[in-house]
Amino acid sequence: MYNFDEIIDRTHTNALNTDGFRGYIFHADETMQFPFKDEEFIRMWVADMEFATPDVIIDAMKERLDRRIFGYTSLFGNEYYNAFASWCKRRYDWTFDASDLFSSNGIIPALYELVEYICKEDEKLLFLTPSYAYFKYAADFNHKEAVCCDLVCEDGYYTIDFDDLAEKAADEKTTLMIFCNPHNPSGRVWTEEELAKIADIVSKNNMWIISDEIHCDLLRKGLKHIPMGKVMPDYTRLITAMAPSKTFNIAGLMFSNILIRDLGLRAIWKERHYGFDNPLSIVAAQAAYEKGEPWLNELSAYLDENFKFVGEYLAEHLPKAKYRISEATYLAWVDLNAYFTPEESLTMFFAYEAGVLLEGGNMFVQNSDGFIRLNLACPKATVAEGLKRICESVNSKK
Ligand code: LCS
């Protein structure tokens, strides 16, 4: 039994979550003032958790600390591959070769690089919106045009407009799709049929596809993740990104798995990628995959309860909010269009009026006006207080 109810102090740890919200959410500096002290906010924004990383991971890092030397480090030998590959086999019935596996100090840095390596001068990259904004930043950073395909939302359930996607993919300048599987922020776990249709569109156009599967370990009970690698077993232009960072709350350790099949791209990666890793991060990731599953199973049950609670609370206190339990992620996606106009800044409103830090609206590129995203990876008491404040502030809105 793990204690997910524990409130853990994160102050003075250089945490983005506690200390970096002014810059990230409001593009402001420390002079930005709120009617709340920083420590009074309920923080439901950036996607890391308020839960302690499992002991098995911390112990592995302690053991590594005892080795006392922290020189340049990279993935040598097969120990890490064996741990991660058996995780994928066990949980997703998916296998891949050791030669596919590369590491990166985060998925986003890898995305930035891969766009550079894959897309030529005037080529474009495609993704589904609403979207995690860094997909667009990866395009912007590389001076590439981002082509957005809006998801369709009916009763809070998101689906892909395959006609629109096929049309956009048919543009010969659109050479790369960044695909979020499962999807942040809608929380969709794509079905086998949906994945097959994406695969069909991508392969017909001979496009590259990066399947960002960072959220794949965090599914609601009874649901199953299907890696794109299983749907496209022989497609060499598929790159898969997975990581223990979201799953085990070790995003700050900056270690992720990048699976590259194409030999040409592999050669570029080997030549240009700065290929060192933090020695503590490697042992942490390995311990997570080898020993972290019991913790993850309990975490998942706890998250399921938080999602259920939010649904019940909203139904009672904010009946015009549209909400459906996310199939994956620990992020709730709530439609508040009944209460706000598209011009209103939801992040500002909730920070000033409710003392809640959350993400929403145009933070997700497009097709997200009037929505808020709530991070539910926090103790029940925190979720309850956050929801209470959110509902009270909306209900007393003029
Ligand atoms: N890919 C997706 C789809 C994500 O949601 C995130 C983090 C990352 C990649 C980050 O990968 P990293 O570079 O850390 O390995 N998502 C966040 C979010 O939605 N809010 O804060 C972080």
Side-chain angles (χ1 to χ4, degrees), residues 270-285:
K270 282 182 187 164
E271 193 181 301
R272 296 175 62 184
H273 177 76
Y274 186 73
F276 296 110
D277 295 301
N278 184 316
L280 295 176
S281 307
I282 296 179
V283 293

Side-chain angles (χ1 to χ4, degrees), residues 173-349:
K173 290 291 176 198
T174 304
T175 51
L176 168 65
M177 176 170 187
I178 304 181
F179 180 51
C180 198
N181 174 35
H183 185 257
N184 173 17
S186 74
R188 273 300 315 278
V189 170
W190 307 113
T191 63
E192 202 165 350
E193 276 162 300
E194 287 171 315
L195 294 172
K197 282 190 191 167
I198 298 262
D200 188 49
I201 291 171
V202 165
S203 55
K204 268 199 184 115
N205 292 288
N206 201 24
M207 285 167 76
W208 292 86
I209 175 166
I210 301 173
S211 188
D212 179 345
E213 307 192 1
I214 194 169
H215 295 281
C216 72
D217 301 320
L218 294 157
L219 268 56
R220 299 291 82 73
K221 196 174 167 56
L223 296 175
K224 259 203 124 29
H225 169 68
I226 307 171
M228 203 56 176
K230 258 178 103 167
V231 181
M232 307 181 91
D234 305 312
Y235 196 71
T236 53
R237 292 191 163 190
L238 167 70
I239 297 127
T240 302
M242 287 184 178
S245 53
K246 291 268 169 280
T247 317
F248 296 99
N249 207 17
I250 50 174
L253 295 178
M254 303 196 63
F255 183 87
S256 60
N257 307 297
I258 310 295
L259 298 148
I260 304 176
R261 290 171 169 172
D262 183 84
L263 297 181
L265 184 63
R266 247 186 232 174
I268 298 173
W269 179 275
K270 282 182 187 164
E271 193 181 301
R272 296 175 62 184
H273 177 76
Y274 186 73
F276 296 110
D277 295 301
N278 184 316
L280 295 176
S281 307
I282 296 179
V283 293
Q286 189 174 325
Y289 289 133
E290 283 174 352
K291 301 176 194 160
E293 209 157 12
W295 180 89
L296 177 59
N297 290 339
E298 275 192 35
L299 169 79
S300 301
Y302 194 92
L303 291 175
D304 285 0
E305 286 299 312
N306 278 357
F307 273 97
K308 211 169 127 223
F309 167 79
V310 169
E312 289 163 2
Y313 198 91
L314 288 175
E316 192 179 337
H317 298 278
L318 219 52
K320 284 189 265 176
K322 288 190 196 146
Y323 168 84
R324 202 179 246 268
I325 292 178
S326 303
E327 294 171 332
T329 76
Y330 45 70
L331 307 163
W333 186 241
V334 188
D335 181 352
L336 295 183
N337 276 293
Y339 299 97
F340 292 87
T341 61
E343 299 75 46
E344 285 175 278
S345 165
L346 301 187
T347 50
M348 286 286 223
F349 176 86

Side-chain angles (χ1 to χ4, degrees), residues 22-263:
R22 286 180 175 78
Y24 193 106
I25 306 177
F26 303 108
H27 309 288
D29 62 21
E30 63 282 1
T31 58
M32 188 176 189
Q33 297 284 323
F34 297 91
F36 297 87
K37 294 198 190 98
D38 284 16
E39 60 274 21
E40 290 170 345
F41 278 114
I42 295 290
R43 294 171 283 101
M44 305 178 90
W45 68 288
V46 66
D48 61 20
M49 311 199 229
E50 293 300 299
F51 306 130
T53 292
D55 285 341
V56 285
I57 294 180
I58 295 169
D59 291 343
M61 288 196 283
K62 284 180 180 163
E63 273 177 38
R64 180 63 188 82
L65 282 173
D66 287 340
R67 300 292 300 269
R68 298 185 298 160
I69 294 178
F70 307 97
Y72 290 110
T73 307
S74 194
L75 285 185
F76 297 108
N78 268 345
E79 266 182 71
Y80 176 73
Y81 165 77
N82 290 338
F84 174 50
S86 57
W87 176 269
C88 290
K89 174 71 189 146
R90 200 161 68 241
R91 294 181 67 93
Y92 310 123
D93 190 28
W94 180 51
T95 50
F96 56 87
D97 290 338
S99 55
D100 290 1
L101 177 64
F102 297 88
S103 58
S104 163
N105 303 158
I107 288 179
I108 296 311
L111 270 189
Y112 278 42
E113 274 180 81
L114 289 165
V115 171
E116 183 190 338
Y117 301 161
I118 291 169
C119 296
K120 298 196 192 70
E121 187 69 32
D122 55 348
E123 292 180 350
K124 310 173 199 176
L125 65 89
L126 175 66
F127 53 88
L128 305 172
T129 36
S131 171
Y132 177 50
Y134 277 85
F135 289 8
K136 171 145 193 317
Y137 301 158
D140 295 348
F141 179 80
N142 286 288
H143 309 290
K144 299 290 177 282
E145 188 180 324
V147 180
C148 298
C149 176
D150 282 346
L151 292 167
V152 179
C153 181
E154 264 171 62
D155 288 334
Y157 192 69
Y158 280 82
T159 50
I160 298 166
D161 179 345
F162 285 104
D163 292 334
D164 183 47
L165 186 70
E167 198 179 311
K168 286 171 174 158
D171 178 346
E172 61 178 22
K173 290 291 176 198
T174 304
T175 51
L176 168 65
M177 176 170 187
I178 304 181
F179 180 51
C180 198
N181 174 35
H183 185 257
N184 173 17
S186 74
R188 273 300 315 278
V189 170
W190 307 113
T191 63
E192 202 165 350
E193 276 162 300
E194 287 171 315
L195 294 172
K197 282 190 191 167
I198 298 262
D200 188 49
I201 291 171
V202 165
S203 55
K204 268 199 184 115
N205 292 288
N206 201 24
M207 285 167 76
W208 292 86
I209 175 166
I210 301 173
S211 188
D212 179 345
E213 307 192 1
I214 194 169
H215 295 281
C216 72
D217 301 320
L218 294 157
L219 268 56
R220 299 291 82 73
K221 196 174 167 56
L223 296 175
K224 259 203 124 29
H225 169 68
I226 307 171
M228 203 56 176
K230 258 178 103 167
V231 181
M232 307 181 91
D234 305 312
Y235 196 71
T236 53
R237 292 191 163 190
L238 167 70
I239 297 127
T240 302
M242 287 184 178
S245 53
K246 291 268 169 280
T247 317
F248 296 99
N249 207 17
I250 50 174
L253 295 178
M254 303 196 63
F255 183 87
S256 60
N257 307 297
I258 310 295
L259 298 148
I260 304 176
R261 290 171 169 172
D262 183 84
L263 297 181

